[in-house]
Amino acid sequence: MQSGRYSLSGDTAVVTGALGNLGPVWIEALLDAGGRVLGLDLRDAPLPAGLSSLQSRYPGRLRVRKADIRDTAQLQAALEECIERLGPPSVLVNNAGIDQPPSPALKTYRIEDWPLDQFRAVVDVNLSHTFGVCQVFGGEMVRRKRGSIVNIGSLYASVSPDRSFYDHISADPPFLKPPAYGASKAGLVNLTRYLATHWAPHGVRVNALSPGGVAGGQDAEFRRKFCARVPMGRMAETDDLVGPLLFLASDASRYVTGIELRVDGGFTAW
């Protein structure tokens, strides 16, 4: 268990997108630091083995429930469960979001033909309804005068995707990273600043954590091209994200609000 200034002992954290790629990473980090965690996800599915083992390691400190962040009533019910079963939330990790990893099996579009309904759906979840999560759980933190919100951004909140990373993928038209993804994450970073300044007088800090490319089963050619673009010469491992999260979530960053902490190996430095 984490001790000292990075400790979350006595804190209750809420993590959206709990069953996604990074959800279990955030959850394990928060539990290891001494916190209690309520994980929320759209999917009504069995827990991954990793989360099941965490429930065994930390009995009574991890709950996972189905909740669609697009539904305010479900979020309110999740907040009530959180307060009743784990305690009032003092940490919120906004991890839920829509992305589209490259795959030759996916339908591709030219920018000129990109369906607006797909664009709107990504912005709706990654930005609009993440704001809704902040309203529900952040509002409770404001009422209690204490809290830390960590919005999960992206490398592509700051820079445009390099199309050459994907030009080895056989697709017609060529695969493009969805234009709404970076746009929504850039919006989330600015929303972070807005909420940070608005809620600072109420004891609630709001920051963004923007990972670079995280290793996770990408094809070898993509990894080669991506790593050649990173000053540190590699993709992030999930363990590289743990320290930055705990810094922002804990009192180690008690005088830090409104920032975007980029964990990208220097990608955006040139």
Side-chain angles (χ1 to χ4, degrees):
M1 181 183 296
Q2 188 78 40
S3 60
R5 67 182 60 194
Y6 289 89
S7 173
L8 293 174
S9 179
D11 285 296
T12 297
V14 176
V15 179
T16 65
L19 304 183
N21 290 335
L22 293 180
V25 175
W26 311 132
I27 289 172
E28 183 171 11
L30 295 163
L31 289 169
D32 284 348
R36 300 176 293 271
V37 180
L38 175 65
L40 306 179
D41 204 287
L42 175 64
R43 291 173 284 174
D44 190 8
L47 290 185
L51 286 184
S52 293
S53 68
L54 288 175
Q55 284 188 322
S56 300
R57 280 169 52 194
Y58 298 106
R61 287 173 48 197
L62 171 60
R63 298 180 66 84
V64 179
R65 63 166 288 159
K66 180 179 179 181
D68 187 340
I69 70 168
R70 298 169 295 184
D71 188 317
T72 302
Q74 291 185 33
L75 292 175
Q76 290 287 358
L79 173 61
E80 292 171 11
E81 177 178 327
C82 182
I83 294 170
E84 179 181 346
R85 300 296 182 88
L86 296 171
S90 50
V91 176
L92 170 62
V93 180
N94 276 312
N95 176 69
I98 297 176
D99 191 10
Q100 181 176 302
S103 168
L106 292 171
K107 182 173 177 56
T108 56
Y109 302 94
R110 299 185 310 150
I111 284 290
E112 298 89 334
D113 301 324
W114 205 282
L116 279 176
D117 60 340
Q118 289 191 18
F119 190 98
R120 292 190 188 102
V122 173
V123 173
D124 210 27
V125 171
N126 294 6
L127 180 57
S128 302
H129 290 293
T130 297
F131 174 60
V133 177
C134 290
Q135 288 180 300
V136 172
F137 292 95
E140 181 67 17
M141 294 177 186
V142 167
R143 192 174 76 81
R144 296 176 182 272
K145 303 294 184 182
R146 180 175 181 267
S148 174
I149 297 174
V150 183
N151 293 323
I152 304 303
S154 169
L155 165 73
Y156 294 134
S158 304
V159 296
S160 177
D162 186 338
R163 291 178 61 181
S164 70
F165 290 166
Y166 311 107
D167 61 13
H168 63 284
I169 297 172
S170 178
D172 185 22
F175 174 85
L176 296 175
K177 189 76 172 176
Y181 180 75
S184 65
K185 291 298 186 179
L188 182 61
V189 169
N190 201 56
L191 177 64
T192 296
R193 299 185 186 107
Y194 182 99
L195 294 176
T197 57
H198 189 74
W199 282 343
H202 304 282
V204 177
R205 298 183 296 107
V206 190
N207 294 290
L209 192 164
S210 289
V214 180
Q218 295 92 347
D219 68 83
E221 181 62 8
F222 173 86
R223 292 197 305 271
R224 182 192 68 78
K225 290 189 285 189
F226 189 92
C227 292
R229 177 65 175 72
V230 180
M232 294 186 72
R234 66 176 178 86
M235 300 187 76
E237 301 293 338
T238 54
D239 194 54
D240 295 323
L241 306 177
V242 170
L245 174 74
L246 294 182
F247 170 69
L248 293 177
S250 71
D251 283 345
S253 60
R254 65 184 184 180
Y255 195 59
V256 177
T257 196
I259 71 161
E260 179 195 11
L261 177 54
R262 300 176 191 170
V263 187
D264 64 4
F267 191 107
T268 55
W270 61 8

